[in-house]
Amino acid sequence: MKIGWKKVAASLVLVGVVAAMVCFLQEENKSTTRSLFAMDTYMEITAYGRNSENAVEAAVDEIERLDALLSTGSAASEITMLNQNKTAVVSEDSAYLLRRSMELWKSTGGAFDITIYPVMKSWGFAGDTFRVPTDQELKRLLDFVDSSQIAYDEETKTVVLPEQVEIDFGGIAKGYTSARVSQIMEEYHIKSAKLNLGGNVQTVGTKADGSLWRIAIKSPDDTFPYLGVISVEDKAVITSGGYERYFEENGIIYHHIIDPKNGKPAQNGLVSVTIVCEDGTLADGLSTALYVMGKDDAITYWKAHKNEFDAVLFDDTGMLYVTEGLEGSFMSELEYEIVSEN
Ligand code: AMP
Ligand code: MG
C-alpha cells in the first residue's frame, strides 16, 4: 500500500493539534496553592488557570512586602518607624490605608480608630505578655486615642503624630492585602481564585467550574461547626470575633477588639461580625468597627450604607442577624433573622 506524504503530513498536523489542545485544556484546569505565615496568621492562596503559578508567586511576594511595610510587630516597618520618629513620608500603601482609616473613623463615629495602638500595647496585645491595665492607666492612654490628632498632608504624603500618639493598621491591613492580591490575580488574567488570610476570605470570580464559592463563617465556639455558609463570587467575606485573640485572667476573658470609648475589649453584645462586599479593605475595617458598635448601632450603620456591604451578626444571646442583600445566598442550620431597611 502506498501512503502519500500529504496524508502523513496531514495526520501529523492533526495529532499535533489534538496534543496542543489537550495541553491547553490541562493548563486551563491547572491550579496552584501556596500556604504561608504572615501578618501573624496562617494564609492560603489558591488560583486556577494557566498563569496560576506566576500569579500565586506574585501574590506571596506582595503579602510579604505588605507585611514588612505595615506590621507594628516588625522593628523596621514603615509604621513602626513612624510611631517611633513621629514623622514620615509614607508609601502609597500606607497613605491609602491612612485615608481609608480616617474615612472609617469619621463614618463609624470613632468605633474604628487606628490610634488605639497605645491601648493595645498596654493590654499586651502587641506582644505575648498579656495584662489587665488599671482604669487609671486606660484613662490616661485614652487622651491619645483620637484620629483627629493625626496630621497628614495628602500632597507630600507626610504624616506627623503628636508625641504619645501611635497607629496600628491591624484592623484593616489583612483586608487591604486581600484586595491587593485580587488586583494581582486580575493582572495575571486569573478568573478563579480564593485567598484565605487567616479566616478573612476574598474570592476572585467563581469556582473554576463556574459555580459560586461557598464560604463558611466560623463558629465562635464549639457549639456548632459553623454559623452558616455564604455563596459568593468576586467578594470579600471578612469576620471579626473576640474569640480570635484573647486571654483569660481570674475567669474573665479579655479579647483584642478594643472599644475606643473606654479602652476595654468591646462588650456591646456581639460575638462575631462578618462583612460581605467587593472591597476587602472596607470589609475588614467594618468588621472591626461594627463589632465595637454592637448590634443596634451596627444595623443603623448598615441601613445608612446598605449599598456598600452586607453583614452577618451573631450576638451573645445566640441570635443571628443577616442583612437583606444576603437573602438567598446565606444558608444556616441555625435560626436567623433577615434585617431589612424598614
Ligand atoms: P480584626 O480582626 O480585623 O477585627 O482586627 C483586630 C485588630 O484591629 C486588633 O488586633 C488591633 O490591631 C486592631 N484594633 C482593635 N480595636 C480596634 C479599633 N477599635 N479600631 C481599629 N483597630 C482596632
Ligand atoms: Mg477588621
Side-chain angles (χ1 to χ4, degrees):
M1 195 173 66
K2 209 172 144 195
I3 302 172
W5 65 269
K6 276 190 186 162
K7 268 194 185 161
V8 172
S11 306
L12 284 176
V13 168
L14 190 67
V15 168
V17 168
V18 170
M21 274 170 69
V22 168
C23 263
F24 181 80
L25 287 175
Q26 268 175 352
E27 283 284 291
E28 283 300 294
N29 290 332
K30 183 172 145 180
S31 75
T32 306
T33 298
R34 276 278 302 272
S35 304
L36 69 152
F37 192 84
M39 301 184 172
D40 225 14
T41 193
Y42 174 77
M43 302 184 174
E44 192 175 271
I45 313 289
T46 300
Y48 296 83
R50 52 179 46 255
N51 238 345
S52 61
E53 218 166 293
N54 292 335
V56 169
E57 205 172 297
V60 170
D61 286 350
E62 179 66 355
I63 291 169
E64 284 169 351
R65 183 185 75 84
L66 290 174
D67 191 9
L69 188 73
L70 303 173
S71 169
T72 44
S74 125
S77 82
E78 182 169 77
I79 302 307
T80 302
M81 298 310 278
L82 169 64
N83 284 337
Q84 253 170 38
N85 301 336
K86 300 298 158 199
T87 181
V89 175
V90 294
S91 61
E92 289 287 342
D93 303 279
S94 292
Y96 176 79
L97 278 173
L98 207 55
R99 189 164 58 72
R100 297 298 304 269
S101 298
M102 294 303 280
E103 281 167 13
L104 276 166
W105 172 71
K106 284 191 190 122
S107 81
T108 63
F112 187 84
D113 194 332
I114 53 172
T115 60
I116 201 71
Y117 194 53
V119 175
M120 293 301 295
K121 284 203 297 190
S122 77
W123 284 95
F125 285 116
D128 286 325
T129 315
F130 303 119
R131 61 187 279 276
V132 180
T134 62
D135 284 354
Q136 207 183 2
E137 185 181 346
L138 289 176
K139 195 168 171 290
R140 187 179 57 78
L141 290 173
L142 284 176
D143 284 346
F144 316 116
V145 177
D146 172 6
S147 279
S148 72
Q149 295 190 29
I150 304 172
Y152 172 56
D153 182 341
E154 184 88 51
E155 213 144 273
T156 60
K157 305 227 165 357
T158 305
V159 184
V160 182
L161 303 176
E163 187 49 40
Q164 314 265 18
V165 173
E166 291 181 90
I167 65 165
D168 168 26
F169 288 134
I172 197 168
K174 284 205 280 278
Y176 172 64
T177 303
S178 68
R180 278 289 307 129
V181 171
S182 293
Q183 281 172 2
I184 287 173
M185 293 295 156
E186 265 167 46
E187 284 161 25
Y188 280 81
H189 307 293
I190 297 295
K191 302 267 183 305
S192 174
K194 183 168 145 186
L195 326 168
N196 187 339
L197 277 53
N200 291 348
V201 176
Q202 185 137 7
T203 60
V204 176
T206 59
K207 278 164 75 174
D209 65 5
S211 63
L212 297 176
W213 294 102
R214 289 166 50 80
I215 309 300
I217 304 175
K218 227 171 155 179
S219 171
D221 57 33
D222 298 336
T223 323
F224 338 96
Y226 40 79
L227 293 181
V229 174
I230 308 181
S231 299
V232 286
E233 96 179 77
D234 270 325
K235 290 241 158 67
V237 180
I238 293 187
T239 300
S240 282
Y243 63 89
E244 283 172 350
R245 190 158 152 79
Y246 62 88
F247 67 96
E248 197 177 327
E249 198 174 291
N250 298 328
I252 302 173
I253 287 183
Y254 300 96
H255 64 73
H256 70 139
I257 304 173
I258 306 293
D259 188 339
K261 283 206 183 99
N262 58 19
K264 296 183 180 178
Q267 266 191 315
N268 297 316
L270 291 175
V271 285
S272 167
V273 173
T274 300
I275 305 291
V276 183
C277 67
E278 272 165 37
D279 178 355
T281 312
L282 181 70
D284 195 359
L286 283 181
S287 68
T288 310
L290 267 56
Y291 187 99
V292 170
M293 286 179 186
K295 189 200 94 192
D296 292 344
D297 285 357
I299 289 177
T300 305
Y301 185 91
W302 172 77
K303 286 181 179 172
H305 299 85
K306 67 188 288 270
N307 296 329
E308 293 166 36
F309 72 98
D310 274 292
V312 177
L313 313 174
F314 188 57
D315 76 6
D316 56 11
T317 68
M319 271 304 296
L320 196 53
Y321 301 90
V322 178
T323 62
E324 65 184 350
L326 293 175
E327 204 172 358
S329 49
F330 178 79
M331 280 191 305
S332 178
E333 309 242 308
L334 307 176
E335 238 182 86
Y336 59 91
E337 193 176 296
I338 295 284
V339 180
S340 55
E341 199 174 357
N342 308 306

